[in-house]
Amino acid sequence: MSPSRDSGQTAAPTASGGDTTRERILTAAMEEFARHGIAGARVDRIAKLARTSKERVYAYFRGKDALYADVAAREHVVIAEATQLDPSDLPGYAGRLFDYFVARPDHHRLITWGRLELPDTTAAADDHAQALIARKIDQLRKAQQAGQLDPSWDPADALALVNQIATTWAAQPEHSEAAAAHAVDPTTAARRAAVVTAVERLFPRAH
């Protein structure tokens, strides 16, 4: 019987020429996990969408947790590259995060499912996320030393607050619906401006 919930690391492919298949599996898995979560995801649906077999999926990944870990780890890297933290311009960084998740709400769901379903995991996704967070904290600390960021803030707090503000609307879709119906300015641009302004007041741009 094939495993379905194993948090082990990614298995090496067992045959040559599998890179394209592996990429199809990862793409299909991202869609499946974003839509159904980890517990609700089905490997047979992933295999069908990837135009391969369940056995082939398990040739690359030991189980759903391992597959999710690989997908989430890749997504953390993509987010970091797409949004590019500039420690001297945290409002701009918040705006880029806002834009990323407005354009890709399924990507936010993908990350959120892992937080909800695998809170104690030591999988690769956590390792990648922690490395990226540590790097950003170090960037903020150096910006403080260079006089570009208020040194009274702990850089870990600063990063967490900026991320939280930037993802406010992605994390609370019910508030987005309410804003669209009841806000003075119901546009997405207005929500983005509020995010950038809030971060600017906490962490003004360096001049």
Side-chain angles (χ1 to χ4, degrees), residues 169-182:
W169 300 103
Q172 302 180 93
E174 69 279 9
H175 284 279
S176 294
E177 291 179 14
H182 305 293

Side-chain angles (χ1 to χ4, degrees), residues 21-103:
T21 301
R22 188 176 189 278
E23 288 302 316
R24 291 202 309 270
I25 292 169
L26 288 167
T27 299
M30 181 166 189
E31 180 176 329
E32 178 74 6
F33 287 130
R35 181 174 299 173
H36 300 287
I38 302 167
R42 292 178 53 183
V43 175
D44 57 346
R45 283 197 300 250
I46 293 171
K48 183 177 181 180
L49 186 60
R51 306 190 308 280
T52 189
S53 65
K54 286 177 64 175
E55 291 74 20
R56 194 65 180 146
V57 174
Y58 287 121
Y60 286 93
F61 306 94
R62 295 193 183 107
K64 282 199 295 183
D65 287 4
L67 178 53
Y68 174 84
D70 205 321
V71 170
R74 288 157 60 97
E75 177 60 15
H76 282 300
V77 172
V78 169
I79 293 169
E81 291 178 349
T83 58
Q84 289 295 320
L85 173 66
D86 178 351
S88 67
D89 181 12
L90 291 181
Y93 171 63
R96 288 188 292 277
L97 278 174
F98 177 91
D99 292 340
Y100 186 87
F101 288 119
V102 163

